[in-house]
């Protein structure tokens, strides 16, 4: 947990204006479909901040921020991976490539995207649907 949640000025200074816009749009896109707990945290060694979407102790996804970079991570477990692989041709080539290159650990495949714009958001929302059905209309 963070002592202070970063505001607009700090986030803009950290990631830059265009990526801060991408961050906000991604949060709005997720918030539109999911009524879910949101937690700010430290981003570990590689990132300054982590912003997790969780429900019932399970993480749906997490956003990360560091200098001039925004990250979006989804972890797919074994069953979720087979759902993706069954449907993979419906995802963009970039999402398929990042999926293929992602590291698989004992608890799932950790897929990290570094979006520069909103072009992959539809794919991101499809990945989230594999994990949990949206609970907002």
């Amino acid at each position: 947990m963070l002592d202070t949640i970063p505001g607009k000025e700090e986030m803009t200074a950290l990631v830059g204006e265009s990526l801060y816009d991408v961050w906000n749009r991604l949060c709005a896109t997720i918030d539109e479909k999911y009524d879910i707990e949101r937690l700010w945290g430290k981003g570990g060694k590689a990132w300054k901040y982590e912003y997790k979407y969780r429900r019932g102790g399970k993480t749906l996804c997490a956003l990360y921020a560091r200098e001039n970079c925004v990250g979006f991570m989804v972890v797919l477990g074994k069953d979720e991976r087979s759902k993706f692989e069954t449907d993979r041709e419906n995802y963009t080539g970039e999402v398929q490539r990042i999926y293929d290159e992602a590291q698989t650990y004992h608890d799932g495949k950790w897929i990290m995207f570094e979006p520069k714009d909103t072009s992959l958001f539809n794919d991101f929302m499809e990945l989230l649907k594999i994990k949990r059905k949206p609970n907002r209309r």
Side-chain angles (χ1 to χ4, degrees):
M1 295 293 289
L2 284 178
D3 298 333
T4 55
I5 291 170
K8 178 181 190 225
E9 284 179 16
E10 186 181 344
M11 287 295 288
T12 305
L14 180 65
V15 300
E17 203 141 329
S18 68
L19 287 180
Y20 183 63
D21 184 51
V22 171
W23 174 284
N24 278 328
R25 287 175 185 221
L26 184 51
C27 289
T29 304
I30 297 167
D31 291 342
E32 194 179 295
K33 300 282 185 203
Y34 293 92
D35 179 17
I36 195 165
E37 189 184 359
R38 300 174 208 71
L39 301 166
W40 280 95
K42 291 185 169 78
K45 289 180 186 148
W47 301 89
K48 182 158 186 178
Y49 296 117
E50 174 186 67
Y51 187 60
K52 261 190 198 170
Y53 284 86
R54 290 178 67 99
R55 184 162 205 162
K58 285 191 167 182
T59 299
L60 175 69
C61 63
L63 277 71
Y64 293 89
R66 68 175 177 226
E67 203 170 314
N68 301 316
C69 190
V70 165
F72 173 73
M73 182 184 279
V74 179
V75 178
L76 296 182
K78 192 177 177 193
D79 295 344
E80 296 161 342
R81 289 201 312 271
S82 25
K83 284 181 190 170
F84 174 85
E85 285 162 16
T86 302
D87 209 25
R88 72 177 286 141
E89 70 281 351
N90 295 319
Y91 291 87
T92 62
E94 186 176 355
V95 167
Q96 291 180 41
R97 178 185 60 75
I98 292 168
Y99 174 88
D100 291 340
E101 292 170 1
Q103 186 73 44
T104 304
Y105 297 97
H106 69 282
D107 59 347
K109 193 167 189 66
W110 293 40
I111 312 160
M112 175 64 86
F113 300 93
E114 292 183 3
K116 305 278 185 253
D117 53 39
T118 61
S119 63
L120 296 177
F121 282 16
N122 286 342
D123 281 14
F124 292 172
M125 297 313 290
E126 290 304 312
L127 286 170
L128 295 183
K129 272 188 214 163
I130 291 175
K131 292 192 65 71
R132 172 187 282 273
K133 283 190 173 67
N135 56 3
R136 283 190 171 150
R137 297 202 173 245

